[in-house]
Amino acid sequence: MLEILAITFPIFALVALGYGSVRLGPFAPSDMRALGLFVMNVALPALLFTAVAEQSVTETLSPAYLSVFLAGGLATIAATWAWHTARGTGPARKAIAVMGSTCPNSGYVGYPLMLLLLPEKAGLILAMNLVVETFVLIPLTLLLLESSRPRSGARLGTRARRAVVEVARRPMVLGLLAGVAVSLTGLSLPSGVTRLLDLLAQSTGAIALFVIGGSLVGLPVKGNRALATEIVAGKLLVHPALTALALVALPALGGLTILDPDLRMAVILSAAVPMFGIYALLAQDYGHEGIASLALLGATAGAFVTLTGLLAVLS
């Protein structure tokens, strides 16, 4: 157990340090935004580029891993949607619940976790997670959110196309695509450029966790606590459970290679991290930032227990 705590404690200690640094000083909430922009637009793109460019595409993208992670996410969307439909949850709150239960924070929490657990594979795991999240899970949940508005189908289609274009323009996606291009062409980057990118990539983990903690300060804590609790349970328990089920079921159905032990553990843990940091911000546009903030706070705190327990079972 002490070995497991040695992995999870530094992660959540950094989150707590970020929270305390904003709550008590010397940092302000605006500082967290600046640091978050650095991670999102500079450090993470450099990390993804180096992780992919230095490997062959076949080594970078594991179809089996991608299939399991995708199946677990889609199953969570379906299960959460069905659960809240049966309970009569309103359209917008139901879509908020689906997003919170399905979209993990792979860049800010998942990657630092993998960096401590599987340092040689952490970058590749992040790249594969972001392929599924960026091109499927996030656009699909955003589309569900947008469909809760009383608008015409044509307007919804326009918004969906804009969302896809916006996703494709993100620096993280551009870094990932540039890495794939370099990998396919077999180009060798100058050592100075490689060292620069490595330095930027190495800054990602600690700063990202610090930003997560600092960003929790000031979130509204009024909302439907029962629904927020269900979202937390969906993210920390249902999503990894359905991903584990996909891990067993897909190879049994045939045509899918069984993952090695490291990737089996990684795909379940990747599904078990809290929801992404801009969750409450996205919910604000639909008038449900209170529910999302409560769920984000609960999932971030609860993940220390659930991730520690999962590591005890899986390792």
Side-chain angles (χ1 to χ4, degrees):
M1 179 59 71
L2 289 178
E3 293 180 357
I4 294 171
L5 287 175
I7 294 173
T8 56
F9 172 77
I11 292 173
F12 291 94
L14 273 171
V15 172
L17 179 62
Y19 183 88
S21 296
V22 173
R23 184 77 175 179
L24 305 175
F27 290 93
S30 58
D31 297 327
M32 295 302 102
R33 175 171 172 76
L35 289 173
L37 288 173
F38 169 77
V39 172
M40 188 69 67
N41 296 324
V42 179
L44 270 178
L47 167 66
L48 290 167
F49 177 84
T50 55
V52 177
E54 295 175 356
Q55 306 285 337
S56 70
V57 172
T58 56
E59 292 174 345
T60 302
L61 301 179
S62 164
Y65 184 100
L66 291 168
S67 298
V68 170
F69 194 61
L70 175 61
L74 293 177
T76 304
I77 289 175
T80 307
W81 185 267
W83 169 261
H84 288 287
T85 297
R87 289 173 59 85
T89 306
R93 295 199 303 167
K94 178 165 55 176
I96 293 291
V98 170
M99 174 176 281
S101 300
T102 306
C103 298
N105 198 337
S106 293
Y108 280 49
V109 180
Y111 172 71
L113 174 63
M114 294 304 158
L115 196 59
L116 292 174
L117 189 62
L118 302 168
E120 294 182 356
K121 299 180 180 180
L124 298 180
I125 291 168
L126 174 62
M128 290 190 289
N129 288 347
L130 288 181
V131 166
V132 174
E133 294 168 29
T134 303
F135 293 106
V136 182
L137 299 184
I138 294 176
L140 183 56
T141 54
L142 284 173
L143 186 61
L144 290 176
L145 266 177
E146 190 59 31
S147 68
S148 69
R149 296 185 189 273
R151 288 176 176 166
S152 65
R155 177 61 175 165
L156 179 59
T158 301
R159 299 277 293 192
R161 286 193 296 272
R162 288 178 181 174
V164 171
V165 172
E166 188 64 28
V167 164
R169 294 172 58 186
R170 290 179 180 176
M172 286 192 304
V173 176
L174 295 177
L176 179 61
L177 294 176
V180 171
V182 171
S183 175
L184 289 173
T185 57
L187 294 175
S188 179
L189 298 176
S191 59
V193 174
T194 302
R195 289 171 183 167
L196 170 63
L197 293 172
D198 286 341
L199 282 173
L200 290 171
Q202 290 166 13
S203 70
T204 303
I207 298 177
L209 291 170
F210 189 85
V211 169
I212 284 291
S215 299
L216 295 176
V217 178
L219 289 179
V221 291
K222 293 183 179 179
N224 188 323
R225 295 180 184 273
L227 180 57
T229 301
E230 291 178 353
I231 296 171
V232 171
K235 186 71 215 67
L236 301 185
L237 301 175
V238 175
H239 190 187
L242 290 177
T243 302
L245 180 62
L247 185 63
V248 175
L250 290 182
L253 295 175
L256 188 67
T257 304
I258 297 177
L259 293 172
D260 66 60
D262 285 347
L263 290 183
R264 286 203 298 270
M265 177 171 58
V267 74
I268 296 174
L269 290 174
S270 294
V273 300
M275 63 282 288
F276 54 177
I278 61 170
Y279 175 54
L281 181 63
L282 292 173
Q284 185 176 12
D285 192 36
Y286 298 83
H288 295 296
E289 65 273 17
I291 295 172
S293 298
L294 283 170
L296 182 60
L297 285 165
T300 303
F304 177 71
V305 176
T306 56
L307 285 175
T308 300
L310 269 176
L311 276 170
V313 172
L314 297 173
S315 60

